[in-house]
């Protein structure tokens, strides 16, 4: 279309392209899920339906955005890792965070009824926030993912103990909170075992370790220099790559040594 005299306003937009050669992580997090989980009566401490809905939505994001090679999630959050060399949207931050967030949210709302018998209510529809963080090398990227998995563990141990005190011992939420103030992990493990006969290590791995979604093969790059035919072939190949769902440790080396191609 011809230029109009108004077009100069476009120059007010800012260049937000992210540093080349770095790992881009986009993390989404549910808005007000503490309240939302009460409204829709999520099972406490862990509603498996809600986790499966999160996992399904994250897999849909990975299917639709081929340069995402790995995702890690727990509770109401998910982190998406792009291949280091991605040129998706020219690495423009706003485009990346808004697209990931909106594809995720659309799938979450669309798939809700597959997982929950109750309908969503218009005054409390699920929504998510989103941010991008850059990591310069595989060390920081792995430390980031280790941080999220350690956080999952700490929160889950706390929540498991907290809800045992509330649901099994009949404490009020306030008293349960108080009872856990200043306790260490070892105290919570001991309390779970002695008072409720729960061996924390036997709790399901999806609760203790969260969920890792990983592409089972290297993703083909789509470069601007490629012919249309080459682009179509790469897109076709990428569409056939499967996504594996795991609930394993990603802090140690084993996971990464078996999948060196992820960090290429
Ligand atoms: P914010 O908008 O700041 O993120 P929030 O209420 O979403 O606020 P978070 O720190 O993100 O707070 O915590 C998410 C909360 O959602 C958890 O504390 C928990 O109460 C609830 N929640 C999320 N997933 C589940 C689940 N699968 N089962 C039970 N509760 C869940
Ligand atoms: P991109 O992902 O780059 O934004 P796009 O296909 O969405 O690509 P846009 O420049 O945003 O391209 O243009 C939106 C297109 O959507 C329009 O060109 C038109 O074809 C279609 N479209 C949007 N709204 C309507 C509408 N109300 N009626 C008919 N067509 C529409
Ligand atoms: Mg938040
Ligand atoms: Mg939240
Ligand atoms: Mg959260
Ligand atoms: Mg448009
Ligand atoms: Mg458009």
């Amino acid at each position: 279309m011809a230029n109009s005299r108004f077009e100069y306003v476009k120059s007010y937009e800012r260049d937000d392209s992210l540093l080349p050669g770095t790992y881009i992580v986009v993390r989404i997090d549910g808005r007000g899920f503490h309240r939302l989980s009460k409204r829709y009566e999520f099972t406490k401490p862990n509603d498996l339906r809600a986790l499966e809905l999160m996992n399904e939505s994250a897999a849909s994001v990975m299917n639709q955005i081929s340069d995402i090679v790995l995702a890690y999630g727990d509770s109401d959050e998910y982190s998406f890792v792009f291949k280091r060399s991605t040129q998706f949207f020219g690495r423009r931050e706003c485009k990346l965070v808004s697209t990931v967030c909106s594809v995720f949210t659309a799938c979450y709302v669309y798939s809700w009824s597959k997982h929950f018998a109750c309908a969503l209510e218009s005054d409390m529809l699920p929504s998510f926030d989103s941010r991008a963080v850059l990591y310069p090398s595989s060390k920081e990227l792995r430390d980031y993912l280790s941080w999220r998995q350690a956080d999952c563990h700490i929160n889950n141990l706390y929540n498991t103990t907290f809800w045992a005190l509330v649901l099994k011992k009949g404490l009020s939420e306030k008293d349960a909170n108080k009872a856990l103030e200043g306790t260490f992990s070892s105290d919570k493990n001991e309390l779970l075992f002695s008072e409720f006969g729960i061996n924390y290590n036997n709790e399901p791995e999806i609760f203790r370790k969260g969920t890792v979604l990983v592409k089972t093969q290297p993703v083909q790059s789509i470069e601007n220099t490629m012919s249309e035919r080459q682009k179509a072939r790469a897109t076709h190949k990428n569409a056939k790559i499967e996504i594996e769902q795991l609930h394993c440790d990603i802090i140690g080396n084993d996971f990464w040594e078996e999948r060196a191609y992820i960090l290429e």
Side-chain angles (χ1 to χ4, degrees):
M1 214 172 285
N3 289 353
S4 74
R5 70 189 166 90
F6 305 119
E7 205 180 81
Y8 78 96
V9 293
K10 176 104 179 117
S11 69
Y12 282 57
E13 289 184 12
R14 119 189 104 88
D15 174 9
D16 65 349
S17 55
L18 296 166
L19 196 68
T22 54
Y23 295 101
I24 301 170
V25 177
V26 173
R27 181 168 80 253
I28 58 101
D29 183 285
R31 294 179 58 221
F33 266 46
H34 190 71
R35 281 184 65 216
L36 185 137
S37 65
K38 289 205 162 159
R39 167 77 74 93
Y40 297 112
E41 298 176 341
F42 284 17
T43 313
K44 293 291 180 179
N46 286 295
D47 191 307
L48 196 56
R49 300 165 300 176
L51 293 176
E52 284 170 350
L53 176 55
M54 290 291 293
N55 296 343
E56 181 178 345
S57 307
S60 174
V61 170
M62 288 181 83
N63 276 323
Q64 292 182 57
I65 303 175
S66 65
D67 279 359
I68 296 174
V69 290
L70 177 140
Y72 173 77
D74 73 288
S75 181
D76 68 340
E77 70 168 67
Y78 242 102
S79 298
F80 297 93
V81 180
F82 283 80
K83 68 182 290 188
R84 197 211 274 259
S85 62
T86 187
Q87 287 305 324
F88 189 53
F89 278 127
R91 300 173 72 90
R92 290 162 64 191
E93 179 172 9
C94 289
K95 291 278 192 180
L96 295 180
V97 296
S98 61
T99 302
V100 167
C101 192
S102 121
V103 171
F104 186 94
T105 307
C107 182
Y108 192 96
V109 171
Y110 177 77
S111 301
W112 174 271
S113 61
K114 257 195 265 174
H115 299 270
F116 287 89
C118 60
L120 287 169
E121 291 160 20
S122 62
D123 65 335
M124 201 173 282
L125 294 173
S127 58
F128 295 82
D129 69 34
S130 180
R131 76 194 70 186
V133 190
L134 292 184
Y135 292 106
S137 77
S138 57
K139 177 188 186 302
E140 291 85 4
L141 176 70
R142 280 189 52 183
D143 284 348
Y144 168 80
L145 292 165
S146 299
W147 172 52
R148 296 327 300 150
Q149 190 166 52
D151 193 69
C152 168
H153 164 71
I154 292 162
N155 289 334
N156 190 59
L157 178 59
Y158 182 92
N159 290 338
T160 305
T161 319
F162 177 89
W163 287 104
L165 290 171
V166 173
L167 298 173
K168 297 190 171 147
K169 207 181 172 188
L171 261 61
S172 69
E173 294 192 18
K174 203 174 152 199
D175 288 343
N177 211 5
K178 221 169 182 186
L180 292 176
E181 238 169 45
T183 56
F184 296 108
S185 288
S186 52
D187 303 322
K188 295 184 193 80
N189 273 301
E190 178 55 31
L191 194 153
L192 278 175
F193 193 69
S194 62
E195 292 219 31
F196 307 105
I198 296 171
N199 182 342
Y200 182 74
N201 290 325
N202 294 338
E203 288 292 291
E205 291 212 299
I206 185 172
F207 300 162
R208 288 187 293 119
K209 301 218 187 300
T211 298
V212 190
L213 299 174
V214 63
K215 296 233 166 118
T216 53
Q217 282 169 61
V219 163
Q220 311 272 312
S221 295
I222 311 223
E223 314 279 358
N224 284 335
T225 50
M226 288 162 79
S227 69
E228 286 311 309
R229 224 182 119 160
Q230 286 172 317
K231 280 184 190 169
R233 199 182 299 142
T235 305
H236 183 71
K237 264 191 165 169
N238 285 341
K240 286 206 287 198
I241 298 176
E242 284 176 15
I243 295 169
E244 191 178 7
Q245 178 170 310
L246 302 160
H247 310 288
C248 65
D249 175 86
I250 53 170
I251 297 176
N253 291 326
D254 291 357
F255 174 86
W256 300 100
E257 281 167 3
E258 286 162 24
R259 299 172 182 80
Y261 61 88
I262 295 171
L263 299 178
E264 269 168 8

